Structures are given as structure tokens and as C-alpha cells.
Amino acid sequence: MDKEYGVKLAYYESLLENSYAEAVAKLKEKYGTVEDDYFREKSYERFLNGKIKFPEKGNFSKTALGLYCHHVNENHHEHLADLEWDKKVSVLL
């Protein structure tokens, strides 16, 4: 294992010693927040209306930094990343 990888791995392992909220805060402090929407709003509306099969994603990726982005609190809200669920719920609203 090269030194840089070892340092990154140690940092990420140290995050496990924190609560979820503390780990998220530390990651935001170190890497900044994502400045774009997960899906483009107009595209998402077209998806919900059945006009397109999949909404266009925004520029939220941080993979160049070795990070995988997810919705903060995704573990607290059911189906947050489930597009088919979104379609079903939007019909009810």
C-alpha cells in the first residue's frame, strides 16, 4: 500500500469513531458541499410527468477526490434515492 492511500484510509477509518452527523460535518469541512442538485429540477419534473425515462443528473460528483456522494440523512428517509417510488408518491401529492 502506498503512503498516500494509507493516509486516506486512516482518515476515513477515523471517521467511524464519530456520529453520522459529526462525520458528515467533517467531510463537508474538508471537501466542501456539493453545489448542484442531484437531478436537474426541470428534467426531474419531466421524469415525474412521464415525459422522459430518467432525469438528468446535476454536477454533484466528487469522485475525483475519492468520494462517493449520497443524500445526507439518506438513512433517515425511506426511498430517498428510489426514482420509481418518487413517481408513485408524486401522483398522490
Side-chain angles (χ1 to χ4, degrees), residues 11 14-15 18 21-32:
Y11 172 72
S14 75
L15 290 174
N18 298 283
E22 291 168 333
V24 168
K26 286 182 179 190
L27 287 167
K28 283 182 176 179
E29 182 180 322
K30 183 171 181 155
Y31 296 104

Side-chain angles (χ1 to χ4, degrees), residues 2 4 9 11 13 18 20 26 29-30 32 34-35 40 47-48 50 55-56 58 63 66 69 79 88 90-91:
D2 69 7
E4 184 179 341
L9 180 60
Y11 172 72
E13 286 176 338
N18 298 283
Y20 177 82
K26 286 182 179 190
E29 182 180 322
K30 183 171 181 155
V34 172
E35 300 297 325
R40 301 278 183 216
F47 165 76
L48 291 177
E56 178 185 350
T63 54
C69 292
H79 309 291
K88 290 175 189 173
S90 72
V91 172

